[in-house]
Amino acid sequence: MQDIGEAFRLALSLVLSGDADLFEIVGLSLQVSLSATLIACAIGLPVGALVAVSRFRGRGAVLVLINALMGLPPVVVGLLVYLYLSRSGPLGFLGLLYTPGAMIVAQTILIVPIVAALSRQVLEDLHGEYAEQFRSLCLTRWQSITTLLWDGRYALMTVGLAGFGRAAAEVGAVIIVGGNIDHLTRVMTTAIALETSKGDLPLALALGIILLVIALGVNAGVQMLRMSAARQASLGAAHV
Amino acid sequence: MSDLSDLRMTDAVRIPRRRAAYAPSLPLLPLRVSGLRLDIAQGALLDGVELTLPRHGCTVIMGPNGAGKSILLKLLHGLLAPSAGSVSWNGLPATEATARQALVFQKPVLLRRSVAANLDFVLKARGGDRARRDALLADVGLAHKARQPARSLSGGEAQRLALARALATDPEVLFLDEPTASLDPASVQVIERIVGEACARGTRIVFVTHDIGQARRIADDVVFLHRGRVAEHSAAAEFFPEPQSQAARDYLAGRIVL
Ligand SMILES: Nc1ncnc2c1ncn2[C@@H]1O[C@H](COP(=O)(O)OP(=O)(O)OP(=O)(O)O)[C@@H](O)[C@H]1O
Ligand SMILES: [Mg+2]
């Protein structure tokens, strides 16, 4: 086992020298997780908005289900996606297994419930404020939903961020459906797992540092967006 | 504070327009309310409300805090469902009645967008003519605030924007819940003039206010609510000199209404 300080030094030099392998892995990670986040928002935001503005029988059960799905264990999702995408599985003809596509599918499934549940909460609060005005204006459900999504955009950005964070950080699902194949499906988390088990701590640490920086950077970016929006808007909007 | 040059009248509120969404065949009025009651767990907020409003004019609803004025407006506008009794707008379906009316809430609810976008939103949603936006803003003295986020408006400005938004829907009945409660004197005059002009071209006005002077200026008839009941409904010319109910007498005299 190497000295930790030595490992850090090597890791930093890897990052600073722009190591090609390292940045290929980082690039694929971002590509997969951002795609999954976009798809999950496209599905989860309308679902969250619809549940937020609707009163129907079984709504409570739907809420419990969505909240429960937030805690889906990644390895279980990975296993299910694997079963569907494997050559003998129902979607095997797609040939997605061990490709970035499969990883996007798995991460999307993992974070759709997060986006739906968190956006439902955000939009329901907003709807509580707007509902009477909407009814007075006789808005259709569609008009209500699109208005809530737009007016809640800054809060929803943090919802998307939470989804991205979970997607980028998870390892169990992508390692099963992606296989951690070098130059093809190796992402930051699977590489860290592999390099650590191989004892190549500098690469693992370098990736870990980048993962942290990305998480911090995205958070800071969204925070800045929210703050500039709040400055433009009112003091009240800062609490949204 | 408010720029007086902006507080002039323009054509936006003078030109009578028909709403595109509904082509009303039957008039909305008269309004007949009978046996209206609204219960919550702790008891009745409104009880036994009987009310008939003729086709034209400006009705002012008065009454002490908590009398049920805001609740009554929401029931009349179709935002709340009564526990008993009925609200009949000339026998028309309730949803059609709501769509042909507008309510300026006591607490304005503004979208998290610019002042102009708040109006655009309503003009678009209700099939109105978006070109009217600037004229509407000028009417309520907010032309110079068009780009400002609506939620950063002052209390009085927010109320004026809410009124402009209500006018943007070309309502046949306009409910106003204390629309001048936080306005400066000049703005109060502007609002009263806008409302008066709307009334003159046939918009039915139902106006809640605590301002007795204002009520005298604008009311054709007065509904006095007390503890969820109509204590008195009479022509303004009779109500102010000779209120019939003890509650109204106390209220007008500035005494605590028991
Ligand atoms: N959702 C509610 N739940 C319980 N009580 C309510 C609710 N809404 C209103 N009330 C009560 O109903 C009564 C009438 O309320 P309302 O808002 O109509 O009063 P108001 O006449 O408009 O008074 P103000 O002059 O202060 O605006 C009040 O006592 C209020 O506390
Ligand atoms: Mg009130």
Side-chain angles (χ1 to χ4, degrees):
Chain A
M1 166 113 186
Q2 291 148 297
D3 174 45
I4 292 185
E6 175 72 2
F8 263 109
R9 205 183 52 73
L10 279 170
L12 276 178
S13 73
L14 270 179
V15 174
L16 297 177
S17 68
D19 182 79
D21 280 354
L22 180 77
F23 282 94
E24 185 186 353
I25 293 172
V26 172
L28 183 66
S29 279
L30 289 179
Q31 191 193 327
V32 167
S33 296
L34 284 174
S35 305
T37 305
L38 285 181
I39 299 170
C41 284
I43 301 168
L45 290 181
V47 170
L50 192 63
V51 177
V53 303
S54 308
R55 294 289 172 274
F56 51 88
R57 273 187 52 168
R59 183 174 186 273
V62 169
L63 292 185
V64 170
L65 181 71
I66 293 178
N67 283 326
L69 289 178
M70 279 216 286
L72 274 178
V75 283
V76 175
V77 171
L79 177 59
L80 290 175
V81 172
Y82 178 90
L83 290 174
Y84 272 83
L85 293 183
S86 68
R87 202 131 37 96
S88 53
L91 299 177
F93 65 92
L94 293 175
L96 277 179
L97 197 62
Y98 302 133
T99 68
M103 298 152 76
I104 293 173
V105 170
Q107 290 193 348
T108 301
I109 292 173
L110 264 178
I111 64 176
V112 160
I114 296 178
V115 173
L118 297 182
S119 64
R120 198 272 309 169
Q121 187 61 57
V122 165
L123 296 173
E124 199 166 310
D125 292 348
L126 197 57
H127 189 237
E129 184 189 330
Y130 286 176
E132 274 189 333
Q133 185 67 56
F134 283 179
R135 246 181 309 148
S136 174
L137 291 170
C138 293
L139 295 193
T140 62
R141 179 171 307 199
W142 173 249
Q143 288 171 322
S144 302
I145 287 177
T146 50
T147 307
L148 289 174
L149 287 174
W150 179 252
D151 275 38
R153 58 196 177 278
Y154 295 111
L156 293 177
M157 253 186 252
T158 52
V159 169
L161 181 72
F164 175 79
R166 163 113 167 165
E170 92 49 57
V171 55
V174 285
I175 209 162
I176 294 178
V177 302
N180 193 26
I181 303 167
D182 205 4
H183 301 303
L184 186 59
T185 60
R186 183 162 296 171
V187 291
M188 285 188 277
T189 53
T190 57
I192 291 172
L194 177 74
E195 301 307 332
T196 306
S197 67
K198 284 199 319 198
D200 184 358
L201 293 188
L203 184 54
L205 258 177
L207 286 163
I209 290 168
I210 292 179
L211 196 53
L212 270 175
V213 167
I214 288 173
L216 289 176
V218 175
N219 268 296
V222 168
Q223 187 65 31
M224 266 157 54
L225 254 176
R226 279 169 63 88
M227 269 159 42
S228 77
R231 250 197 318 276
Q232 270 174 37
S234 64
L235 301 170
H239 304 298
V240 176
Chain B
M1 179 200 85
S2 73
D3 180 359
L4 276 177
S5 66
D6 273 325
L7 303 181
R8 74 200 139 76
M9 296 299 298
T10 67
D11 286 343
V13 294
R14 288 209 196 100
I15 305 168
R17 292 176 46 89
R18 287 201 135 190
R19 176 188 323 298
Y22 270 97
S25 48
L26 286 172
L28 265 183
L29 290 137
L31 162 70
R32 274 181 235 290
V33 176
S34 67
L36 192 64
R37 204 181 76 219
L38 186 71
D39 293 328
I40 57 167
Q42 292 80 15
L45 295 182
L46 282 180
D47 200 3
V49 172
E50 307 282 334
L51 195 62
T52 302
L53 294 189
R55 191 166 290 185
H56 298 291
C58 176
T59 299
V60 165
I61 300 179
M62 304 189 86
N65 291 140
K69 303 178 296 297
S70 298
I71 298 268
L72 178 60
L73 284 196
K74 288 176 187 176
L75 280 161
L76 299 183
H77 187 33
L79 299 186
L80 292 174
S83 309
S86 65
V87 173
S88 168
W89 291 97
N90 199 17
L92 292 167
T95 47
E96 181 181 340
T98 304
R100 290 165 61 179
Q101 305 165 345
L103 169 56
V104 178
F105 289 87
Q106 191 167 0
K107 296 178 202 139
V109 182
L110 300 175
L111 300 179
R112 289 159 171 76
R113 316 174 176 200
S114 72
V115 167
N118 264 272
L119 283 186
D120 289 344
F121 174 75
V122 173
L123 290 168
K124 180 159 162 261
R126 297 288 289 262
D129 176 2
R130 291 175 80 164
R132 290 173 64 214
R133 178 242 279 168
D134 295 340
L136 282 162
L137 283 179
D139 279 331
V140 296
L142 289 176
H144 61 300
K145 302 262 177 187
R147 304 256 71 83
Q148 187 173 323
R151 295 174 64 91
S152 65
L153 291 177
S154 77
E157 289 165 346
Q159 268 184 327
R160 285 187 274 152
L161 178 57
L163 173 63
R165 183 174 59 183
L167 291 169
T169 68
D170 289 322
E172 290 165 59
V173 179
L174 178 58
F175 297 103
L176 300 125
D177 198 347
E178 303 188 32
T180 59
S182 47
L183 298 191
D184 59 51
S187 302
V188 171
Q189 277 184 31
V190 172
I191 300 301
E192 285 180 17
R193 191 169 53 189
I194 291 174
V195 170
E197 297 209 359
C199 186
R201 39 163 224 279
T203 306
R204 192 67 173 78
I205 307 291
V206 181
F207 198 114
V208 173
T209 184
H210 286 294
D211 181 339
I212 295 167
Q214 177 173 61
R216 282 180 194 269
R217 287 192 295 275
I218 64 174
D220 293 313
D221 58 323
V222 178
V223 175
F224 192 85
L225 274 188
H226 181 43
R227 294 191 186 164
R229 292 176 174 274
V230 177
E232 190 165 347
H233 182 195
S234 44
E238 292 158 25
F239 179 81
F240 291 109
E242 281 181 69
Q244 298 302 301
S245 61
Q246 183 61 43
R249 274 196 295 276
D250 289 344
Y251 181 89
L252 290 179
R255 291 190 291 266
I256 301 262
V257 182
L258 297 174

